[in-house]
Amino acid sequence: MDALYTAAATANGREGRAVSSDGQLDLALAMPPALGGSGQGTNPEQLFAAGYAACFASALGVVGRQAKADTSEVSVTAEVTIGKDDAGFALAVTLRVELPASLDNEAGLQLVKQAHEVCPYSRATRGNIPVELVVE
């Protein structure tokens, strides 16, 4: 891989802070109430959801431009679930994609599937965690 950019952030656990090396990200971290925490901060699942949603929306833009389809009004919501499995804690993701009215369902679904093939987050999670694609 030819590196184009490296992001670096430091955290000291689920209760504390997460700070990026450039200071642009500086967040209080807290366990969500569902996991017994105060919820008075963000959590790793929210951070992963935000990153995945942004990356997937960008990937949709790339495949949309290649297909000469208008994806300027795309909205992606990533739902990241943490739970337990036989090995301990595990993640699952649902990507909810809202497409412009100008795209019919079949064309939109094809673009979503293509974006899932090229999105770096999708590629990183493939075979590791379940990712469900939902076109809304």
Side-chain angles (χ1 to χ4, degrees), residues 57-58 60-65 68-76 98-103 111:
S58 182
L60 267 168
V62 169
V63 298
R65 283 188 296 281
K68 297 186 181 0
D70 180 15
T71 56
S72 61
E73 300 293 320
V74 163
S75 176
V76 178
E98 292 183 40
L99 297 170
S102 61
L103 281 175
L111 289 177

Side-chain angles (χ1 to χ4, degrees), residues 55-108:
C55 189
F56 198 85
S58 182
L60 267 168
V62 169
V63 298
R65 283 188 296 281
Q66 290 171 347
K68 297 186 181 0
D70 180 15
T71 56
S72 61
E73 300 293 320
V74 163
S75 176
V76 178
T77 300
E79 299 171 354
V80 175
T81 301
I82 187 167
K84 288 191 169 190
D85 65 9
D86 295 339
F89 287 97
L91 298 175
V93 174
T94 299
L95 294 174
R96 297 190 181 281
V97 182
E98 292 183 40
L99 297 170
S102 61
L103 281 175
D104 67 58
N105 285 348
E106 186 56 36

Side-chain angles (χ1 to χ4, degrees), residues 16-42:
R17 298 203 72 72
V19 180
S20 64
S21 59
D22 64 3
Q24 292 296 310
L25 179 112
D26 187 346
L27 300 168
L29 298 175
M31 295 275 283
L35 297 178
S38 69
Q40 298 300 305
T42 194

